[in-house]
Amino acid sequence: MEMENHIVDPIMPKHVAIIMDGNGRWAKQKGKIRTFGHKAGVDAVKASVSFAIKNDIAVLTLFAFSSENWNRPVEEVRVLMELFKLVLSSEVKKLHKNKVRLRVIGDISRFDAKLVDKISKAETMTANNTGLTLNIAANYGGKWDIVNAAKTMCAQVQDGKIVLDDISETLFHSYTCANDLPEVDLLIRTGGEQRISNFLLWQLAYAELYFTDVYWPDFSEEVFLQAVTNFSERQRRFGLTGEQVCS
Ligand code: IPE
Ligand code: IPE
Ligand code: MG
């Protein structure tokens, strides 16, 4: 059964992660400055959230700012931070109304106090919502996530709270960001590059990867639908043979 931008499919991904790339090139193509592209990208964020809600996707994780992005021109970083604040101010109430649980993953201690406060208020306000979990990765790095988990775990060994033999993949996972969320089923990257750029590393272990040349500001519910349709046609084998999976 198919409706417009809404597919009822038993193999819909539970957790979709997106590397929202191509804002700068989108703007350049139009003869505008890079930050024009970031501003235009906000509409694509709204479209992706709307698609996720309509299609009962449980978790949507969006890569908004990487730990490496601090090295961009100061003015670009400033605009991105302002934009983050602006979007939080204008969208959180609507998200709350739509039962969205908003969370931010990443080292937010490097953000200014105003932004940290807005993030914390948005998380508290939406904490008990039962609809889509919208995870924003901000000042996030996959290596940071893993090192952070290792550090916390080692501290607990040192304090005698756990012993070396307790360490397992399951335990390690419990110290990583998004430890309470399902593994990523589908990773989408816009903007034509085919790389992970230090996004979720641990959590992507068995994700299906989908790359599109579409620049992020042009991402739409249609493009999301194409990605999800492509995902639903794949056979996920998790190390088994195709025959084992089918039986
Ligand atoms: C992604 O678009 C947004 C962020 C990294 C914040 P880019 O800004 O990387 O756009 P391109 O890749 O330069 O086109
Ligand atoms: C990845 O995009 C980070 C975000 C989308 C936030 P980049 O544009 O920073 O990635 P690279 O540098 O091209 O790998
Ligand atoms: Mg880029």
Side-chain angles (χ1 to χ4, degrees):
M1 191 167 72
E2 221 174 287
M3 286 180 265
E4 201 191 347
N5 297 336
H6 180 113
I7 53 169
V8 180
D9 192 315
I11 35 176
M12 275 295 278
K14 278 199 193 75
H15 186 171
V16 179
I18 308 183
I19 301 176
M20 311 185 287
D21 196 21
N23 293 350
R25 281 164 287 160
W26 181 88
K28 196 175 174 190
Q29 211 180 38
K30 294 187 155 23
K32 310 266 188 188
I33 55 168
R34 294 179 52 82
T35 49
F36 182 76
H38 296 316
K39 286 172 190 157
V42 175
D43 283 338
V45 171
K46 290 182 192 166
S48 67
V49 170
S50 157
F51 181 90
I53 294 172
K54 279 188 222 162
N55 290 284
D56 291 325
I57 289 171
V59 187
L60 179 65
T61 299
L62 301 177
F63 202 8
F65 192 84
S66 77
S67 36
E68 290 74 27
N69 290 148
W70 291 110
N71 299 323
R72 292 194 176 192
V74 176
E75 176 59 11
E76 180 168 347
V77 172
R78 191 193 65 77
V79 170
L80 283 167
M81 294 302 141
E82 281 313 307
L83 208 54
F84 199 3
K85 279 183 216 160
L86 253 151
V87 172
L88 281 171
S89 305
S90 67
E91 297 305 311
V92 170
K93 272 194 195 131
K94 278 180 245 166
L95 292 171
H96 187 46
K97 239 193 227 158
N98 282 304
K99 300 190 176 61
V100 173
R101 181 169 66 133
L102 182 86
R103 305 214 313 201
V104 174
I105 56 168
D107 183 8
I108 62 164
S109 66
R110 205 171 152 183
F111 292 146
D112 74 41
K114 239 182 173 174
L115 182 50
V116 173
D117 183 56
K118 274 189 193 293
I119 291 171
S120 133
K121 283 194 174 123
E123 285 183 327
T124 308
M125 181 186 203
T126 63
N128 296 320
N129 287 345
T130 54
L132 171 73
T133 295
L134 178 61
N135 236 341
I136 306 294
N139 192 19
Y140 179 87
K143 288 187 180 176
W144 166 82
D145 193 358
I146 292 170
V147 169
N148 199 44
K151 249 184 171 168
T152 315
M153 205 170 61
C154 289
Q156 299 213 336
V157 174
Q158 218 170 26
D159 295 349
K161 290 187 179 135
I162 55 169
V163 296
L164 211 55
D165 278 345
D166 291 334
I167 297 175
S168 63
E169 288 184 13
T170 310
L171 186 76
F172 190 90
H173 180 77
S174 74
Y175 294 105
T176 57
C177 276
N179 52 15
D180 56 332
L181 304 176
E183 295 271 302
V184 176
D185 297 304
L186 171 64
L187 171 81
I188 301 171
R189 182 176 186 139
T190 61
E193 311 295 355
Q194 304 196 355
R195 54 179 176 250
I196 304 296
S197 300
N198 198 19
F199 192 27
L200 306 160
L201 296 177
W202 176 268
Q203 299 84 348
L204 289 179
Y206 250 112
E208 297 294 329
L209 311 179
Y210 183 87
F211 299 102
T212 170
D213 288 339
V214 167
Y215 289 142
W216 180 249
D218 288 332
F219 189 82
S220 60
E221 297 200 36
E222 286 73 25
V223 183
F224 205 154
L225 179 62
Q226 278 164 22
V228 157
T229 305
N230 181 287
F231 167 85
S232 75
E233 287 161 4
R234 298 186 191 185
Q235 186 188 47
R236 303 186 79 192
R237 290 192 284 277
F238 298 101
L240 303 181
T241 67
E243 291 72 24
Q244 282 177 301
V245 173
C246 286
S247 67

